[in-house]
Amino acid sequence: MQMFKSRRSLPLLDQFSRYVVVGGIAFSADIGVLYILTEYFGWHYLVAATGSFLVGLGVNYLLCVMWIFHFRTLENRLHEFVVFGLIGITGLALNNLILAALTGGLNIHYLLSKVVSAGIILVFN
């Protein structure tokens, strides 16, 4: 008996699997840039988090467009990126609030705060 295997679920499962991989790559870019900007360039962790979040957002968008989502709700790619960016800016605000609360308020290391923030934003998105 094949309870969970159907022709409709396979493409969705494939799409979800790719989305998880892309999310991991984007998160790696985000946290890697955060670390480099903070540790090697001496940027304040919130400024670095803003830059790194935008890098991760760009990586996520490009990989989603190139590898995951072949169907487009919006035909104009500029409009599509603007909508994607607006959602991302909301995530950025939430990211920086969480980092400020955890690192600035509770004195938790900024990288651990970033991992917590990423988990919360994943649920939020």
Side-chain angles (χ1 to χ4, degrees):
M1 182 174 188
Q2 296 179 351
M3 292 178 66
F4 298 106
K5 193 173 183 182
S6 74
R7 291 177 191 242
R8 291 185 69 191
S9 67
L10 288 177
L12 186 60
L13 181 59
D14 181 52
Q15 195 175 48
F16 178 74
S17 298
R18 288 177 182 216
Y19 186 74
V20 169
V21 169
V22 166
I25 292 169
F27 175 73
S28 296
D30 184 352
I31 203 162
V33 170
L34 173 61
Y35 178 79
I36 289 167
L37 292 177
T38 304
E39 298 298 324
Y40 292 102
F41 289 91
W43 290 19
H44 185 272
Y45 72 93
L46 285 176
V47 175
T50 299
S52 70
F53 188 93
L54 294 174
V55 168
L57 183 68
V59 167
N60 191 312
Y61 176 77
L62 289 174
L63 291 176
C64 281
V65 166
M66 292 171 24
W67 194 46
I68 300 175
F69 301 113
H70 302 292
F71 172 78
R72 295 241 169 345
T73 303
L74 300 174
E75 289 184 30
N76 185 316
R77 288 210 180 179
L78 177 60
H79 293 150
E80 179 182 66
F81 183 74
V82 168
V83 170
F84 191 86
L86 289 174
I87 294 168
I89 288 172
T90 304
L92 173 61
L94 185 58
N95 177 68
N96 285 4
L97 284 172
I98 294 167
L99 285 176
L102 295 178
T103 299
L106 298 177
N107 206 27
I108 296 172
H109 192 273
Y110 73 95
L111 291 177
L112 181 57
S113 297
K114 177 62 185 180
V115 171
V116 171
S117 173
I120 293 170
I121 292 170
L122 175 66
V123 172
F124 171 78
N125 284 343

